[in-house]
Amino acid sequence: MAEYNRVSECVGLITLRNPPVNALSAAVRQGIVDTVQRALSDPNVKSVVICGQNGIFCGGADIKEFGSNMTGPPLIPMIHAIESANKPVVAAIEGSALGGGLELALGCHYRIAHSKARLGLPEVSLGLLPAAGGSQRLPRLIGVPAALNLITTGRHVTAAEALQLGIVDQVTDHNTVDAAVKFALSVAGRSLDPRRISTHPCPQQPDLDALFEEVMQKVRQSARGAIAPIACVQAVRAAATLPYAQGMERERELMATLFTSGQARALQYCFFAERAVGRWRMPSGARWDTSKPRPVHKAAVIGLGTMGRGITVALAQTGLSVIAVETQEKQLMEAKQAISGMLERGAKRRGVAPALDGVIYSQNIQAVADVDLVIEAVFEDIALKTKVFQQLSAVCKPGTLLCTNTSALDVDQLASETPNPELVVGMHFFAPAHVMKLLEVVYGPRSSPQAVATAMQLGKKMGKASVAVGNCRGFVGNRMLKPYIEEAFFLLEEGATPELVDQALEEFGFPMGVFRMSDLSGLDVGWRVRKGDGLVEPGTASGRSARIRQGRRYSPLGDLLCEEGRFGQKTGRGWYQYDKPGSRVARSDPWLHSFLGAYRAQHGLVARRIDHQEVLERCLYALINEGFHILDDGIAAGPEDIDVIYVSGYGWPRHRGGPMFYANMVGLAKVLERLEHYQQLHPEVPHLQPSSLLRRLVASGSPPIHKWGEAIKKLHSQL
Ligand SMILES: CCCCCCCCCCCCCC(=O)CC(=O)SCCNC(=O)CCNC(=O)[C@H](O)C(C)(C)COP(=O)(O)OP(=O)(O)OC[C@H]1O[C@@H](n2cnc3c(N)ncnc32)[C@H](O)[C@@H]1OP(=O)(O)O
Ligand SMILES: NC(=O)C1=CN([C@@H]2O[C@H](COP(=O)(O)OP(=O)(O)OC[C@H]3O[C@@H](n4cnc5c(N)ncnc54)[C@H](O)[C@@H]3O)[C@@H](O)[C@H]2O)C=CC1
């Protein structure tokens, strides 16, 4: 909807009304068409102002409409009618002007923004391009290089940057609509020809071909298979080289390809999934909207190693007071220096003062007596963590939430060792904790809804994609990673190389394949876990029986590398070789290839040709299959939770929507059929045994992903 009023006698004021972000739904577009027409035909109106209600100009096209038959007036002629108007039209931009919202503003003759406003063309992050003339008008207004930067990255700019770039004409700290009305009065009657952006050529740019070639190369490299950034470059090139009408035609063609692509669907799914995970619910029935978080003003971190340092920085950057506790004096000194450095660099990037005074360091756990929440990040040792939790229960004021950053220990067991298990939750950060977006908030059967709500709210404040998950070995992310890694090992035994497996996964869109990733995080991490599980056996036994452990197929390849001291990048050798320990450029290692040959010979394995398709199916479908087990167990409340975890924490390519969305795109019946196929070939691999939920979903007609929740409930009630 759009509301129309006449203000200051001769200004037509059009207000977009569509909470929460005034998205350009069919009704809003119709409202704009009608009210613009009304203002232009009213002889008393000399100029027009367009604004949005509730402090936000417009969040762009209504993304929810993209999945349906779009009705109502189209955006392009609507914006064209505004630009062609014979009375000045001024956009009054508060809050956000994004996507179609900014395109609407670019059709206006003038733009006034509040100093706190943000502007951008983020369509690329939804798998699209600014196809309501944005790709053609913005380069004409601000020049090709700046437009390329904004359109291919989708980044939002502040009002100050928008003014500097020439996107807006004026910035105000006061009431934006009042300023716009005043401005509209001042420009009434002026010639509008110079203000119609579509009639200008793009500003001259020397060596246009070289510029586009360079940008295209950069974009292709960072896109990891995403097609929208490439289409964005092509659209801007059209703006720079073609007359406006032909540029618009090119924009339309490119948009038509993107609009119906699986990538656009995946990226739009991610947009809504990221918001859906905030509406968490627990099997007990507790949920986000009925659970009130406790206020957290002061927090503590126990253990200042790799994780504790990053967590301290993340907390301090939200403005909290943090007590950082470390028992080892040397570690404490090093941590203090490292944390200060991280805070200073972060503050410099964000143009704010570093929160150095927000952190108080101590060697004494008594220092945390008055904090509202503690995050424990000591060594991964259940006895040590139990002791720390018992100390915390004695020291902290009543009601303090006790959170653990354990990556694999049992959160319930820890909780049961404290007098108030309802105050205990897992807060599983990912390294480096101040950078990585993902946070798994792990609840046990006794965690109170308030504890979960508080951890989720704190995660959001820290800018994390926070997902509430149930307690199980590896939680969601690492539990699904296990079969993925195991399949990669089995593929090496059967004839693949780390290079082949990594190439297949990187072509799929992962930033790093499984072996390069394993070299980066350290092979010794998994080795320690496998030792703890009693899976690592000494000796040089050979044959099939040496590769069956605890009743299932096991590959000792990772253990053998560790026994050689090959821990990955940190030792300069792992699945690849590196120039020196700590160096990052992985090179193929002839030693590893002869080692694999000797290993296969020792175990009577005959190498066969393995193609990319098999790598993807075995690694990814095994991981997805575990995702179905997780849904069936109720550890994740819905597929969106799993997908957000994988996209924000495990490098799953966003344009493929996450593993469960990908399974939905491939087709559940196909995933099931391939798992059955591989299970027949490898009966001693339990993780290839299709999950019963997957079977039941296929049997019930493979409902689309947004209906899985309903289907799972129904299937569970039938059990
Ligand atoms: C054969 C086919 C040929 C096809 C040719 C087709 C030609 C079609 C031509 C049409 C061209 C259209 C081009 C165009 O205009 C493209 C666009 O505009 S795409 C949209 C671009 N906009 C964005 O990406 C902005 C997205 N929103 C945000 O970034 C944030 O929401 C915002 C900064 C605005 C506010 O943030 P915050 O306050 O943190 O709120 P939330 O993010 O939590 O959002 C609140 C609520 O609102 C929902 N929402 C937000 N934006 C939109 C939107 N644009 N459409 C619909 N809904 C939106 C959001 O999902 C939240 O609701 P939940 O229920 O929690 O999900
Ligand atoms: N390193 C990683 O990538 C990730 C680790 N985790 C988990 O985070 C926790 C910490 O891991 P890291 O930071 O890697 O370990 P780390 O070994 O780097 O640091 C642990 C620190 O805790 C200190 N410490 C030990 N006992 C203490 C006590 N009683 N009081 C105060 N400090 C004490 C140690 O001196 C050390 O500085 C572990 O549970 C780990 O599983 C979780 C996610 C990722």
Side-chain angles (χ1 to χ4, degrees), residues 375-406:
I375 302 175
E376 163 280 308
V378 302
F379 301 127
E380 187 78 336
D381 172 342
I382 188 76
L384 173 64
K385 286 192 195 272
T386 304
K387 188 174 143 217
V388 169
F389 266 63
Q390 284 166 348
Q391 286 174 327
L392 288 170
S393 302
V395 166
C396 293
K397 67 183 183 191
T400 299
L401 294 189
L402 304 182
C403 310
T404 173
N405 182 47
T406 179

Side-chain angles (χ1 to χ4, degrees), residues 20-21 23-24 56 59-64 66 70 75-76 96 98-101 103 122-123 125-126 128-132 156 252 255-256 259-260 271-272 275 279:
V21 302
L24 294 164
I56 174 162
D62 186 341
I63 307 165
K64 288 191 184 105
F66 291 166
M70 287 173 76
L75 266 180
I76 293 174
S96 301
L98 298 173
E103 291 177 297
E123 285 88 341
S125 59
L126 299 169
L128 303 174
L129 60 84
H156 302 181
R252 196 195 62 76
M255 177 65 156
F259 198 75
T260 48
F271 175 85
F272 289 114
R275 284 149 182 86
R279 296 188 284 271

Side-chain angles (χ1 to χ4, degrees), residues 479-489 505 510 512-514 618-620 622-623 646 650 652 687:
R479 175 169 159 184
M480 288 170 69
L481 208 56
K482 187 168 177 271
Y484 168 81
I485 295 172
E486 283 181 354
E487 278 306 310
F489 283 12
L505 294 167
F510 282 99
M512 271 188 212
V514 57
R618 287 195 39 199
C619 293
L620 302 185
L623 176 148
Y646 260 80
Y650 290 83
W652 185 283
H687 62 231

Side-chain angles (χ1 to χ4, degrees), residues 303 305-307 326-328 331 377-380 385 405 407 429:
T306 311
M307 294 307 290
E326 164 64 54
T327 44
Q328 302 302 312
Q331 276 284 79
V378 302
F379 301 127
E380 187 78 336
K385 286 192 195 272
N405 182 47
S407 41
F429 291 82

